[in-house]
Amino acid sequence: MARNGERRHRQDGRVRGFAARAGGWSARHRWAAVGIWVLFVVLAMGIGSAAGRVDVEESDQLSGETSQASRIVDDAGIDEPAGETVLVQGKDRQLAATAPEFKRAVADVIKAVEGTGAVTNVRSPYAARAQTISKDGRTALVRFDMRGDPDTASDRVEPVQKAVEGVAGDHDALRIEEIGAASMNKTFDDAFGDDFRRAELSAVPVALGILLIAFGALVAALLPVALAITAIMATMGLMGIVSHLQPMSETANSVMLLVGLAVGVDYCLFYLRREREERMKGHDPRTALRIAAATSGRAIIVSGVTVCVAMAGMLFTGLAEFQAMGLASLMVVAVAMVGSVTVLPALLSLLGERVEKGRIPFLHPTRRRGGTGNGEGGSRFWTRVLTVVLKRPAVSVLVAVGALLAIAAPALGMKTQNLTLDQEFGNSLPIVATYDRVNEAFPGGSDPAEVVVRADDINAPQVRAAIDDFRTRAVGSGSSRGPVEVTVHARQNVALIDVPLVGGSDQGRAEESLALLRDEIRPDTLGKVDGVEAPITGQVAGSKDFNDQIVGSVAPVLAFVVVFAFLLMLLSFRSLTVAITSIVLNLLSVGAAYGILVAVFQHGWGAGLVGAEGVGAIISWLPLFLFVILFGLSMDYHVFVVSRIKEARLQGRTNTDAVRHGVVTTAGVVTSAAVIMVAVFSIFGTLSMQSMKQMGVGLAAAVLIDATVIRGVLLPAVMALLGERNWYLPKWLHRMPDLTHDEVPAGIDVAPRKGGEELRV
């Protein structure tokens, strides 16, 4: 095979392929390459800013009844106000809502919130048919609506909150606390925004610090960070442009930043380390750069395209939020990949030996203890590990696979759900306790189901009778304890029915109540009237519809990602064996990550170490999200290591020697890249929101396992056992496209030449 590869690549004495040609062109036209990149970033940001960003609308978030209800409300032009509630409750169980002090507190709350000028439709619990005094008589609710656009109510709720806090300070014997759509959104936005700002601000310094240790030189460490940041900036602009076709979101923006920093730094790291290695062997800078372009550059392209395919899997979920995240991640990976194989060679050509400027004592490779300076030594630690692994590959495979399966075992009992407020934030936010108190006194009252009824004539006798029957049956069936409130919009022929669900914050019981409404009560009442639509929405309904859609999209997303990743690996390495093993190893890595998530967050093993006590479940969107992200990112390391192994094999090394050479010489860059990813993802494991903790821990654990057990033990052991079968390709596949021409085979002068003779690209 090596001889065939050599003939294929030697046709005109040149190394062919996009990565090699792009690197060669950039090195020859370095100022043009840098200028084009800067112009691209500036234009993308400018056009994106001018175009503005279109965000995902609530009606686009889901399919099913939730989306149907949202569309009816939007089509009718109904702006449902952001409702707020003030809980008034005696701290002493003997203090009832009928007590004079209690009534004075309620009156003070009403006066205070009305005095802000930001509210309307204030309802006293003592009004006729208010039904907002609890059965035990200890708790009352003052309800009102925020003025103005409900979507921006959270921006205007702070004066109201302060007014309520002022009243609470005047009544020590009572709990007076505000909760509602606007105040909860503000709480979430503040917590989510603060968390991500802290993570984003921490990520860049952490990555830079690790790169300083990895390179031992300031200029070399700054290049990957600079390229990653410019790629992120350009993608932000592109998101604004693309959002007019596929709406974006803040979550998509945050995921894009996370993925962009990870892959942007990784790709530059791969390229820079190979270029430095070749210079340390004795090549002049131009030759070293061209070898890096033909080898690491190709690995970056194969990896980048594979990651893009994985991210594209999110487009098949049918969920607007996931589609936005997938498209944003895909774009930033593509931009980082193109930048790494175009502008990075130009910058390295401009800098030459100056890339080593700002050397840090004792950290630069030429100063480190035992450094040979020739680029051949590789990692001493991984050399020792590989000696053991390659001596007993079968035992190594059994031990590694056994360990990974044991780690993955808890995933078989994974329980997914949308986390409730107390699961998401624990006791870190006061509003969680308020939420629990409201639900205890008025089960389901803080998050009622909403039936959106549309009819040809909403005031028709049979329609009004069906609505009344629905109200009666909802309470009589036990799915709600009331009050069931009806708001009729006669001009639009729409009625909104709010139904507090029995179960409240207990998601399981609340879903049982929802199922009773949807499957029995609605068909027997509203369903019997011709021309009536009555989708049921709300927090519980939205959560259930979301989970159902996630579950339904798992099979097509997994099939798309696995099949296309397999085909890309097959085309890139022209080996059926490499394609199969890459898929299996990545699935093992993802499975182990799932097992760790379930063990920590569901079973609570070691949960105290990350502040995750009492969560008891995995947030529903995370498994699919992690699969797509991890499957893509794992390919980074796999492609890089296997490319180096195949390169060594094409140079005439034996299979075992090629495996040893490929793993040991890439161990440093893989370790550095993994440490950066683990550090950045671990930052998310320290945030207050449990969903962010779960994402951070899952990503960090998977990358750590992938860079150590998978790439350092299992991959070399499997390839050692397979021998020449590693490169098996059935004859009937020989006619498929050949994407391997960037590899440097034996005889294409990867060793330094006398007289500075260069590799031609």
Side-chain angles (χ1 to χ4, degrees), residues 440-461:
E440 184 180 354
F442 305 90
S446 58
D447 288 314
E450 183 178 68
V451 188
V452 180
V453 182
R454 180 165 64 182
D456 296 332
D457 180 3
I458 199 68
N459 286 316

Side-chain angles (χ1 to χ4, degrees), residues 510-692:
E511 286 189 4
E512 290 175 5
S513 300
L514 174 69
L516 192 59
L517 290 181
R518 282 180 166 179
D519 301 337
E520 296 183 23
I521 298 171
R522 179 180 56 187
D524 291 342
T525 56
L526 297 165
K528 291 184 176 181
V529 181
D530 292 338
V532 169
E533 295 178 77
I536 301 178
T537 184
Q539 189 274 330
V540 175
S543 174
K544 185 178 187 307
D545 291 349
F546 180 85
N547 287 341
D548 290 346
Q549 196 162 343
I550 281 283
V551 171
S553 64
V554 166
V557 171
L558 265 62
F560 173 83
V561 172
V562 170
V563 169
F564 273 85
F566 172 82
L567 291 175
L568 280 170
M569 296 300 287
L570 182 64
L571 291 170
S572 300
F573 290 100
R574 292 185 68 81
S575 166
L576 186 62
T577 309
V578 167
I580 292 172
T581 55
S582 66
I583 299 300
V584 172
L585 294 181
N586 279 359
L587 290 175
L588 278 172
S589 177
V590 173
Y594 284 172
I596 291 172
L597 274 177
V598 172
V600 174
F601 292 95
Q602 188 172 315
H603 299 319
W605 303 342
L609 299 176
V610 293
E613 299 95 333
V615 178
I618 307 301
I619 191 164
S620 56
W621 55 264
L622 190 61
L624 188 60
F625 174 82
L626 279 184
F627 174 83
V628 172
I629 297 289
L630 293 176
F631 206 89
L633 295 181
S634 294
M635 282 297 183
D636 271 0
Y637 305 145
H638 192 86
V639 169
F640 191 66
V641 176
V642 175
S643 293
R644 199 63 183 269
I645 292 171
K646 188 174 183 184
E647 179 189 323
R649 187 71 190 93
L650 288 170
Q651 292 168 16
R653 295 176 185 256
T654 64
N655 180 72
T656 301
D657 191 32
V659 170
R660 179 184 290 106
H661 175 81
V663 173
V664 171
T665 54
T666 58
V669 66
V670 169
T671 300
S672 299
V675 168
I676 291 171
M677 278 198 186
V678 170
V680 170
F681 295 149
S682 295
I683 292 171
F684 286 80
T686 67
L687 304 185
S688 59
M689 297 176 68
Q690 289 298 326
S691 53
M692 295 298 102

Side-chain angles (χ1 to χ4, degrees), residues 245-521:
L245 299 174
Q246 166 61 57
M248 291 293 166
S249 68
E250 286 300 321
T251 305
N253 193 59
S254 298
V255 170
M256 182 275 293
L257 287 167
L258 183 71
V259 173
L261 184 63
V263 299
V265 169
D266 272 12
Y267 292 164
C268 290
L269 193 59
F270 295 162
Y271 211 108
L272 280 165
R273 286 293 286 261
R274 183 58 187 265
E275 190 267 350
R276 169 184 273 180
E277 180 184 325
E278 296 303 327
R279 281 191 289 109
M280 293 174 70
K281 288 179 180 178
H283 286 299
D284 63 272
R286 290 182 65 189
T287 303
L289 181 57
R290 293 180 182 185
I291 294 173
T295 53
S296 292
R298 176 184 180 274
I300 288 169
I301 290 177
V302 174
S303 172
V305 172
T306 309
V307 176
C308 286
V309 167
M311 300 304 177
M314 285 195 261
L315 301 177
F316 291 85
T317 60
L319 296 164
E321 193 73 65
F322 265 63
Q323 290 172 331
M325 287 191 292
L327 192 55
S329 301
L330 184 157
M331 287 191 296
V332 78
V333 171
V335 171
M337 175 186 70
V338 172
S340 297
V341 298
T342 57
V343 73
L344 183 59
L347 290 171
L348 290 174
S349 179
L350 281 169
L351 290 169
E353 295 287 353
R354 287 172 294 181
V355 76
E356 304 295 347
K357 288 286 186 182
R359 293 188 180 189
I360 301 172
F362 308 110
L363 290 181
H364 196 273
T366 58
R367 298 292 184 189
R368 286 175 179 153
R369 180 181 170 185
T372 63
N374 61 9
E376 294 283 358
S379 165
R380 288 184 172 184
F381 171 78
W382 286 112
T383 298
R384 289 194 291 269
V385 170
L386 259 293
T387 300
V388 176
V389 169
L390 296 179
K391 187 176 181 180
R392 295 183 176 85
V395 174
S396 299
V397 168
L398 289 174
V399 171
V401 170
L404 290 172
L405 291 177
I407 295 171
L412 296 174
M414 182 184 289
K415 172 188 174 185
T416 62
Q417 67 177 59
N418 275 2
L419 300 184
T420 59
L421 195 65
D422 56 337
Q423 287 176 311
E424 184 71 87
F425 290 103
N427 297 320
S428 63
L429 297 175
I431 203 169
V432 174
T434 305
Y435 178 85
D436 289 339
R437 281 191 274 268
V438 171
N439 267 303
E440 184 180 354
F442 305 90
S446 58
D447 288 314
E450 183 178 68
V451 188
V452 180
V453 182
R454 180 165 64 182
D456 296 332
D457 180 3
I458 199 68
N459 286 316
Q462 65 270 29
V463 176
R464 297 306 296 265
I467 291 174
D468 290 339
D469 192 17
F470 179 89
R471 293 179 64 185
T472 303
R473 293 278 300 274
V475 176
S477 66
S479 60
S480 176
R481 293 176 187 158
V484 178
E485 298 180 348
V486 179
T487 304
V488 177
H489 299 270
R491 189 167 61 85
Q492 293 93 345
N493 285 314
V494 171
L496 307 178
I497 309 173
D498 286 336
V499 187
L501 295 174
V502 168
S505 58
D506 183 334
Q507 191 80 11
R509 288 192 62 199
E511 286 189 4
E512 290 175 5
S513 300
L514 174 69
L516 192 59
L517 290 181
R518 282 180 166 179
D519 301 337
E520 296 183 23
I521 298 171

